[in-house]
Amino acid sequence: MLIAPSMLACDFRRIGEEANRALEAGADWLHLDVMDGSFVDNISFGPDICAAIRSAVPAEAYLDAHLMIDAPDHYLPRFVKAGMNMITIHVEREGAVDLHATLAAIRAAGIHAGLAVNPATPVEKVLPYIGELDMVLVMSVVPGFGGQSFMGEVLDKVRVLDAARKEQGLNFIIQMDGGIGATQAQLCAKAGADCLVAGSSTFKAPDMAAAIASMK
Ligand code: DX5
Ligand code: ZN
């Protein structure tokens, strides 16, 4: 199981040190939650902060940017330039954004491409894209804020995606994000998830290494 601590829960005064603290505690990836105050009801940080995190960590660190923004196509080049390894966009922007083209542009930049699905959005919305993806992100909270409670009903989506990838011989990663600690991690793993985003349960734990190890 890959564990991706969410930088949203770190001490922003020392964001570079916090990124390295997570890596030293055993984080496989770092998850960067980008919010524009429109797609979600919160504003976090943008490409310049992502670039600052990139420059603070070892070159091999894997940075996973979760774009909760209205115009991922418009801002994509800036996140590419910021040195992200995975860029995830939201399926809810279908129609307003050409998702096929944006996913192709992410991959053309030599970066992994992810597609996220909110709790209220049916998983069927994602299925037409799975052949073009390196990852599907199943949101287990309504995005916008850290520290919310895990919504167990989304585990059904993980089961559907896991079955679909087996049937179609695909190998995209299934990531889950929101309200995840050691207890929820077991349920996620059973349902077929491969990567867990965890903010509060890692950065706010008394012992981050122990918290990450218990989820793994
Ligand atoms: C929610 C974000 C999550 C969140 C996770 O909008 O996408 O990554 O910060 O934080 P916790 O683990 O505290 O729910
Ligand atoms: Zn996230």
Side-chain angles (χ1 to χ4, degrees), residues 6 31 33 66 68 137 139 177 197:
S6 166
H31 184 81
D33 283 307
H66 175 195
M68 290 161 273
L137 165 49
M139 289 303 304
D177 182 6
V197 175

Side-chain angles (χ1 to χ4, degrees), residues 94-162:
E94 188 182 61
V97 171
D98 184 340
L99 299 181
H100 291 291
T102 308
L103 293 167
I106 296 170
R107 286 179 137 186
I111 292 171
H112 292 138
L115 190 61
V117 56
N118 281 341
T121 304
V123 70
E124 285 69 30
K125 283 280 184 190
V126 172
L127 297 177
Y129 297 93
I130 57 177
E132 303 157 49
L133 296 174
D134 300 294
M135 185 172 86
V136 175
L137 165 49
V138 176
M139 289 303 304
S140 41
V141 297
V142 176
F145 299 90
Q148 304 183 75
S149 298
F150 182 77
M151 298 168 73
E153 60 269 30
V154 305
L155 290 166
D156 284 336
K157 294 181 187 176
V158 175
R159 291 183 195 104
V160 168
L161 288 163
D162 189 37

Side-chain angles (χ1 to χ4, degrees), residues 39-214:
F39 183 75
V40 291
D41 184 26
N42 197 7
I43 301 174
S44 58
F45 51 78
D48 290 351
I49 300 289
C50 291
I53 295 169
R54 171 85 279 164
S55 68
V57 297
E60 65 273 15
Y62 190 94
L63 302 183
D64 161 35
H66 175 195
L67 304 188
M68 290 161 273
I69 65 178
D70 279 343
D73 46 351
H74 177 73
Y75 289 102
L76 177 62
R78 300 186 218 186
F79 288 99
V80 170
K81 200 169 166 220
M84 301 299 99
N85 300 97
M86 169 79 75
I87 294 183
T88 298
I89 62 176
H90 265 267
V91 73
E92 290 78 17
R93 292 305 287 156
E94 188 182 61
V97 171
D98 184 340
L99 299 181
H100 291 291
T102 308
L103 293 167
I106 296 170
R107 286 179 137 186
I111 292 171
H112 292 138
L115 190 61
V117 56
N118 281 341
T121 304
V123 70
E124 285 69 30
K125 283 280 184 190
V126 172
L127 297 177
Y129 297 93
I130 57 177
E132 303 157 49
L133 296 174
D134 300 294
M135 185 172 86
V136 175
L137 165 49
V138 176
M139 289 303 304
S140 41
V141 297
V142 176
F145 299 90
Q148 304 183 75
S149 298
F150 182 77
M151 298 168 73
E153 60 269 30
V154 305
L155 290 166
D156 284 336
K157 294 181 187 176
V158 175
R159 291 183 195 104
V160 168
L161 288 163
D162 189 37
R165 69 180 168 179
K166 280 175 184 148
E167 248 167 53
Q168 298 182 36
L170 299 169
N171 58 3
F172 59 85
I173 289 168
I174 301 175
Q175 183 182 62
M176 296 186 70
D177 182 6
I180 300 174
T183 312
Q184 294 77 14
Q186 287 195 0
L187 303 170
C188 300
K190 251 194 196 144
D194 317 288
C195 179
L196 303 178
V197 175
S200 313
S201 71
T202 55
F203 278 104
K204 294 186 169 40
D207 180 344
M208 197 184 331
I212 290 174
S214 71

